[in-house]
């Protein structure tokens, strides 16, 4: 491929080669650059499989089954998940359209509202949350792998008796093995992630439906639709709406950086189609499985399970146990890559575009996810609640600010090439590369979001903290934003790269 055909200077095979235009190498590399429209490969099915994997994650099952334990019956759980699905469908379309139009990942998208340098703030907040959960989810998957190894080789149980830095020998073997698998997959870029998600989606759906049918058979083809402590009246409706709000909050990270994936989408229609089948409809299937698993187990012995893993451990047939464990491992790896691996990769790329590419940033992210010893984080309620919970609470205001600026202030008019120039008169230079109005709005609304999330006085509205944070973030930003314009709408095609990374 010649230099003339790509519009790149220096060696076009290098990651740090930049277009021969007013583009700064401190803001641009081949992973941060906008993707060309021609050659994008993420269609409706690929968007659907993202949700086919993520919706059916072990964490989501634990949350939904928890609603059963908190006093919601079958139809109430379906209603809560359905409401949450409708909210998410709308929010994800708004976020996804941004990626499809501009072709840029979330850290670059953040430059629109926060400035070319100020964008490091939202990118690093999102990346820090993701990198911690990458390690934690890998640890939770390693627990399933340990169960599978002991089922296949009972003598391996002796390797589970010691401890080093919080894990047994078998625990370390399981964790490092899964860590390596994920690093290998992600090192091949977004195209390999697309293929893996497409493979994993049907596997997960078939496995969870099969597990639900098996449990239904064990319960004589009947389930308990509620527990004796079921809520009624106003308390019931408050918990239903609160459950829907918390369901959206679980995806607060993903609605923020959904553009990391939709920058490769073939069209807006493919995003809508993939989101429709993958969110509201898929969530109703998910809800049906939850009700079946929890209700059948409660009918059998009056016990409320915490996760599908509780059921898998009790599968009497070794072959079926191993197959179920493999499916859960495939699921957890799929969820981890899309929800917790891609975001820090782009955040680090945005921080060091001269020195990092997708593969190098993936390795750095994975190493950080290992050295923080995530099992210790998971076993520390204070860390989960105050550190990760605090960072998570800030994501609502971030979403509100980014969305308000893009859709309401600029009316989706974006000068994509200007996102990559460090010229002091650039459209997104603001004050030395930082938009102080966005920073002020973020600080004010983050304080409000943290107070709502952690102060006992706000317990009654704590379930709605993400919506409160996002709404207040949007309102405060609109109050201080510079709306004078004019806002240019310029395509990024002249500096775009092929959608193959």
């Amino acid at each position: 491929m010649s230099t003339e055909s790509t519009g790149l200077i220096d060696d076009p095979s290098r990651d740090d080669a930049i277009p021969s235009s007013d583009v700064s190498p401190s803001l641009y590399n081949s992973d941060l650059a906008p993707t060309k429209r021609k050659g994008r490969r993420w269609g409706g099915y690929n968007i659907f499989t993202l949700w086919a994997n993520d919706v059916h994650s072990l964490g989501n099952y634990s949350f939904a089954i928890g609603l059963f334990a908190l006093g919601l019956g079958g139809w109430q759980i379906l209603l809560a998940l359905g409401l949450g699905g409708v909210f998410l469908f709308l929010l994800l379309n708004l976020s996804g359209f941004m990626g499809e139009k501009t072709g840029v990942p979330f850290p670059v998208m953040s430059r629109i509202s926060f400035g070319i340098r100020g964008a490091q703030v939202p990118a690093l907040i999102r990346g820090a949350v993701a990198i911690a959960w990458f390690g934690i989810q890998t640890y939770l998957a390693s627990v399933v792998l340990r169960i599978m190894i002991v089922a296949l080789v009972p003598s391996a149980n002796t390797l589970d008796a010691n401890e080093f830095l919080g894990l047994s020998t078998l625990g370390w073997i399981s964790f490092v093995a899964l860590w390596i698998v994920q690093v290998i997959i992600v090192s091949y870029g977004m195209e390999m992630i697309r293929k893996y998600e497409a493979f994993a989606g049907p596997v997960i759906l078939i496995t969870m439906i099969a597990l639900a049918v098996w449990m239904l058979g064990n319960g004589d083809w009947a389930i308990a639709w509620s527990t004796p402590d079921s809520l009624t009246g106003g308390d019931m409706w408050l918990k239903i709406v609160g459950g829907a709000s918390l369901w959206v909050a679980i995806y607060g990270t993903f609605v923020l950086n959904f553009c990391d994936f939709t920058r490769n989408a073939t069209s807006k229609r493919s995003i809508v189609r993939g989101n429709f089948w993958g969110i509201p409809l898929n969530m109703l299937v998910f809800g049906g499985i939850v009700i079946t698993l929890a209700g059948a187990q409660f009918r059998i012995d009056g016990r409320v399970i915490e996760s599908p893993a509780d059921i898998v451990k009790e599968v009497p047939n070794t072959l079926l146990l191993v197959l179920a464990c493999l499916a859960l491992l495939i699921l957890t790896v799929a969820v981890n890559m899309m929800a917790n691996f891609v975001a820090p990769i782009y955040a680090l790329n945005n921080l060091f575009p001269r020195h990092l590419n997708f593969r190098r940033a993936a390795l750095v992210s994975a190493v950080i996810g290992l050295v923080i010893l995530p099992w210790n984080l998971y076993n520390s309620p204070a860390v989960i609640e105050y550190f990760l919970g605090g960072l998570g609470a800030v994501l609502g205001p971030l979403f509100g600010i980014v969305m308000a600026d893009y859709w309401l202030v600029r009316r989706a008019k974006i000068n994509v090439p200007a996102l990559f120039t460090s010229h002091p008169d650039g459209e997104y230079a603001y004050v030395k590369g930082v938009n102080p109005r966005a920073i002020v709005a973020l600080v004010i609304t983050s304080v409000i979001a943290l107070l709502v999330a952690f102060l006992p006085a706000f317990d009654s509205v704590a379930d709605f903290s993400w919506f409160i944070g996002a709404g207040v973030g949007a309102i405060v930003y609109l109050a201080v934003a510079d709306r004078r314009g004019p806002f240019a709408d310029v395509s990024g095609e002249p500096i775009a790269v092929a959608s193959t990374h």
Side-chain angles (χ1 to χ4, degrees), residues 77-92:
I77 291 175
L78 283 177
L79 181 56
L81 296 178
L83 286 174
V86 171
F87 291 142
L88 276 174
F89 175 72
L90 298 174
L91 295 173
L92 285 165

Side-chain angles (χ1 to χ4, degrees), residues 165-393:
L165 294 178
L167 279 186
S168 65
T169 299
L170 184 59
W172 274 104
I173 292 172
S174 301
F175 182 90
V176 172
L178 288 173
W179 184 89
I180 291 173
V181 166
Q182 292 175 95
V183 170
I184 291 173
I185 294 172
V186 174
S187 69
Y188 285 95
M190 291 295 287
E191 178 63 11
M192 181 58 73
I193 293 176
R194 182 185 71 85
K195 292 178 179 178
Y196 183 85
E197 299 292 336
F199 152 75
V203 172
I204 300 316
L205 282 172
I206 292 170
T207 300
M208 298 311 298
I209 291 172
L211 191 61
V213 172
W214 180 72
M215 280 298 294
L216 197 58
N218 287 346
D220 295 327
W221 305 101
I223 64 172
W225 279 87
S226 61
T227 68
D229 300 323
S230 292
L231 299 174
T232 59
D235 290 339
M236 177 192 73
W237 287 107
L238 187 62
K239 185 58 67 176
I240 288 173
V241 178
S245 178
L246 287 173
W247 191 233
V248 174
I250 288 173
Y251 286 86
T253 53
F254 219 119
V255 295
L256 198 59
N257 72 300
F258 190 32
C259 56
D260 287 347
F261 301 89
T262 58
R263 64 189 298 233
N264 302 296
T266 55
S267 65
K268 288 183 174 64
R269 182 180 177 186
S270 68
I271 295 172
V272 173
R273 188 167 62 247
N275 282 344
F276 177 73
W277 289 99
I279 296 296
L281 292 185
N282 184 34
M283 283 180 177
L284 290 178
V285 173
F286 166 80
I289 294 173
V290 165
I291 293 167
T292 302
L293 294 178
Q297 187 67 62
F298 193 80
R299 186 176 189 274
I300 292 170
D301 59 12
R303 180 166 59 95
V304 178
I305 60 172
E306 295 181 0
S307 165
D310 295 342
I311 293 174
V312 170
K313 288 188 295 186
E314 298 176 6
V315 174
N317 183 287
T318 301
L319 175 61
L320 294 178
L321 172 64
V322 169
L323 290 175
C325 286
L326 277 174
L328 292 181
L329 290 174
I330 291 170
L331 164 65
T332 305
V333 168
V335 172
N336 218 13
M337 286 194 301
M338 61 185 271
N340 300 318
F341 215 159
V342 172
I345 288 173
Y346 281 129
L348 288 170
N349 242 311
N350 192 54
L351 195 61
F352 304 108
R354 294 175 185 265
H355 308 290
L356 294 179
N357 58 17
F358 197 94
R359 180 174 293 183
R360 293 172 197 151
L363 184 58
V364 173
S365 300
V367 170
I368 296 172
L370 171 63
V371 300
I372 61 175
L373 305 180
W375 46 89
N376 291 331
L377 297 181
Y378 181 73
N379 293 322
S380 172
V383 171
I384 294 292
E385 181 175 359
Y386 293 109
F387 176 65
L388 293 179
L391 285 177

Side-chain angles (χ1 to χ4, degrees), residues 483-495:
R483 304 175 183 230
R484 288 172 297 178
F487 302 116
D489 195 21
V490 183
S491 170
E493 284 292 312
I495 61 169

